[in-house]
Structure formats: structure tokens, C-alpha cells
């Protein structure tokens, strides 16, 4: 089938919890989309992430690459959204949540990640660097964790 429509870039993010704190990054100035804002760690799905559990594999790899943190094997799907990057590239973004397993935060590429922080939901919502889409996700996570009592 020949289709002239654009393909989506598939991106994954993970809200990694350590108690009441969430692992957050400040996006570096070298990233294509939303430099300088707070975000969950994550990134694009790569061919090597498949074929099984491709989104989960990608998000675990990206969290480790960006922050040095290993996420629990159990991840919970939170939501997916679509948007267009500044250059018009269509993106599908899948958000997961999981628990901190091990590791110490470290920046490996300052162009990609300018800072790593463990923050409460209240702190994330109060930051000037928090974009509206992250505020929506944080509020959704607060409700999810409040209903479930913990990440499954």
C-alpha cells in the first residue's frame, strides 16, 4: 500500500516515582522540541527496541540513557497524545509510570538533558519551567496514584 501521509514519530516518557518524588529532567538546549522546560525522561522508539514490548523497552532504555536510573520491571500505561513538533513532524507520545529501582542520577549529554531533579507533584506544578501539557500529566498522575494508592 502506497500512502503519501506522514508517519508518526513514536515517543515514550516515564514518570518514575521514588516515594512521593518524581524523576524530572530539564530538557537541554540541543533538543528539537521544547528546550529548557521540565519533562519526564524518555525519547523516541528505535528499531532495536522491538519486536515485543517495544514501548516499554524503549522507555526503560531512554530513562537509563538520559538519567542513569533503572525503572522497575512493572510499568503502568498512563496515556497517549499526539502533537506536532516545531518543524511539523507528527508525534505520538506514550506516557508510562513506574517505580525507581536503582541508580544515581547523572547527565550523560548536556545538550539533551540540562538538569535532573527529584520533585514532588506540587513542586512540578509550581515551577515556571513546567509547560501546560506536563501540568495536565502531573494532575492525571496524582489522580491515578490517589485512586490506586501506589503504582502497580
Amino acid at each position: 500500500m502506497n500512502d503519501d501521509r506522514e508517519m508518526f514519530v513514536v515517543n515514550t516518557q516515564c514518570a518514575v516515582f521514588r516515594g512521593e518524588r518524581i524523576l524530572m529532567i530539564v530538557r537541554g538546549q540541543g533538543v528539537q522540541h521544547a528546550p529548557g522546560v521540565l519533562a519526564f525522561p524518555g525519547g523516541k522508539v528505535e528499531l532495536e527496541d522491538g519486536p515485543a514490548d517495544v514501548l516499554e523497552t524503549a522507555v526503560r532504555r531512554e530513562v537509563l540513557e538520559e538519567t542513569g536510573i533503572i525503572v522497575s520491571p512493572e510499568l503502568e500505561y498512563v496515556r497517549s497524545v499526539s502533537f506536532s513538533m516545531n518543524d511539523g513532524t507528527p508525534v505520538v507520545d506514550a506516557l508510562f509510570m513506574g517505580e525507581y529501582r536503582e541508580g544515581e542520577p547523572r547527565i550523560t549529554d548536556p545538550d539533551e538533558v540540562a538538569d535532573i531533579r527529584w520533585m514532588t507533584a506540587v513542586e512540578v506544578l509550581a515551577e515556571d519551567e513546567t509547560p501546560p501539557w506536563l501540568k495536565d500529566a502531573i494532575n492525571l498522575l496524582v489522580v491515578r496514584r490517589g485512586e490506586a494508592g501506589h503504582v502497580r
Side-chain angles (χ1 to χ4, degrees):
M1 178 177 181
N2 191 5
D3 194 338
D4 291 336
R5 294 179 294 175
E6 292 184 61
M7 300 291 289
F8 283 94
V9 169
V10 179
N11 191 67
T12 59
Q13 296 183 62
C14 192
V16 180
F17 285 88
R18 188 176 191 178
E20 294 301 313
R21 298 199 171 275
I22 309 165
L23 182 66
M24 302 300 302
I25 64 168
V26 175
R27 295 175 57 82
Q29 293 302 313
V31 297
Q32 187 177 9
H33 179 72
V37 302
L38 274 176
F40 300 115
K44 295 176 186 169
V45 174
E46 297 177 1
L47 290 175
E48 298 79 25
D49 294 325
D53 299 321
V54 64
L55 298 177
E56 294 86 346
T57 300
V59 80
R60 280 190 196 90
R61 176 187 51 74
E62 285 286 347
V63 170
L64 181 61
E65 286 177 5
E66 288 185 352
T67 68
I69 299 296
I70 296 173
V71 182
S72 61
E74 303 81 23
L75 294 176
E76 183 176 336
Y77 170 82
V78 177
R79 73 170 186 189
S80 61
V81 296
S82 64
F83 65 91
S84 294
M85 288 193 286
N86 296 342
D87 67 358
T89 303
V91 177
V92 169
D93 184 76
L95 175 61
F96 293 88
M97 64 178 169
E99 295 289 336
Y100 164 85
R101 182 54 54 106
E102 65 182 87
E104 290 300 320
R106 61 174 165 66
I107 296 171
T108 57
D109 183 353
D111 285 337
E112 189 173 354
V113 176
D115 195 14
I116 302 171
R117 306 173 185 170
W118 286 104
M119 303 175 74
T120 66
V122 170
E123 290 170 336
V124 174
L125 293 171
E127 277 289 326
D128 291 337
E129 302 161 322
T130 304
W133 59 85
L134 180 58
K135 289 181 180 183
D136 292 343
I138 290 291
N139 285 319
L140 178 59
L141 289 167
V142 167
V143 169
R144 281 276 184 105
R145 283 182 55 96
E147 291 173 357
H150 66 283
V151 176
R152 290 172 276 208

